[in-house]
Amino acid sequence: MLVAPSILSADFGKLNEEIKAICEAGCDLVHIDVMDGHFVPNLTIGPVVVEAVAKASSKPLDIHLMVQNNNFFVELFAPLKPKYLSFHIEEEKHANRLAQKIRDYGISPAVVLNPHTNIESLRHLLEFVDMVLVMSVNPGFGGQKFIPNVLDKIKALKDLIETLNPACLIEVDGGVSNENILSLKAAGVDIAVSGSYIFKGNYQERIQSLRV
């Protein structure tokens, strides 16, 4: 299991130190939530702050766009060269085109599903993306409780991926902790995003507890 701490739960008063600390603690990716106040009822950070995160981080960035007007935000963040740049299927009318645009920047395209979104919406998109991020909470705020029925959704998604694009990874975000990580692993998850669970404890111990 790869581990991607979500900096939404970090102390932004000492963000530089927080980024260096999670990298030294052994994370695999640094997960960054970009919210525009329209697609979700919250505002987070823009490219200036993410650029500072990129400079502080020794690990690849995993940028999750929770926005309207995906094209605009892709162009805004692509110069920072994250490993993954993910967009919500619920908000994108031309998903194949956007995925190719991201790939043309040399970035791995990823698509995100909200908890209620049917995996069938990805059937004709999976071959064009490198990762699917499954939300296990309704996006917008950190510290929410994991929605249990997402496990069945992940299992079904894993079956679909095995058929259409076996190389595609599954990432999960929302309420991830040592209490559900084994179930997530069994369901087929490859990358665990965790915010409050990691940042409210010993970073190295919490990251290691998710590496199952």
Side-chain angles (χ1 to χ4, degrees), residues 128-149:
F128 302 102
V129 298
D130 295 339
M131 184 176 74
V132 177
L133 168 53
V134 178
M135 295 302 300
S136 44
V137 298
N138 287 291
F141 300 93
Q144 299 184 68
K145 290 185 178 180
F146 180 83
I147 298 174
N149 66 12

Side-chain angles (χ1 to χ4, degrees), residues 30-190:
V30 175
H31 187 83
I32 302 170
D33 292 310
V34 175
M35 308 180 192
D36 67 351
H38 298 285
F39 180 67
V40 290
N42 196 5
L43 280 167
T44 53
I45 56 179
V48 173
V49 175
V50 178
E51 183 177 7
V53 172
K55 289 178 180 178
S57 177
S58 59
K59 301 298 174 73
L61 303 188
D62 174 25
I63 298 180
H64 172 195
L65 299 178
M66 288 176 256
V67 300
Q68 294 178 353
N69 194 357
N70 281 304
N71 266 294
F72 170 79
F73 282 91
V74 165
E75 291 173 2
L76 206 58
F77 286 95
L80 300 178
K81 294 297 180 183
K83 168 66 176 172
Y84 295 105
L85 190 53
S86 58
F87 61 91
H88 275 261
I89 192 68
E90 300 89 0
E91 189 55 39
E92 186 51 48
K93 294 178 180 177
H94 306 289
N96 295 60
R97 182 187 300 164
L98 185 63
Q100 186 58 53
K101 180 174 184 173
I102 293 169
R103 195 177 297 283
D104 287 344
Y105 278 111
I107 300 166
S108 290
V111 64
V112 193
L113 297 178
N114 275 338
H116 70 279
T117 304
N118 196 309
I119 63 169
E120 284 298 316
S121 62
L122 300 185
R123 180 171 290 276
H124 300 292
L125 180 64
L126 276 176
E127 64 181 288
F128 302 102
V129 298
D130 295 339
M131 184 176 74
V132 177
L133 168 53
V134 178
M135 295 302 300
S136 44
V137 298
N138 287 291
F141 300 93
Q144 299 184 68
K145 290 185 178 180
F146 180 83
I147 298 174
N149 66 12
V150 169
L151 283 170
D152 290 333
K153 180 178 180 177
I154 293 169
K155 292 174 185 175
L157 174 61
K158 183 67 174 179
D159 290 341
L160 193 62
I161 283 175
E162 288 295 332
T163 301
L164 299 175
N165 182 5
C168 183
L169 301 180
I170 298 176
E171 183 176 58
V172 67
D173 182 6
V176 174
S177 72
N178 61 336
E179 294 182 359
N180 52 32
I181 194 65
L182 289 175
S183 297
L184 290 167
K185 177 73 172 180
V189 173
D190 303 290

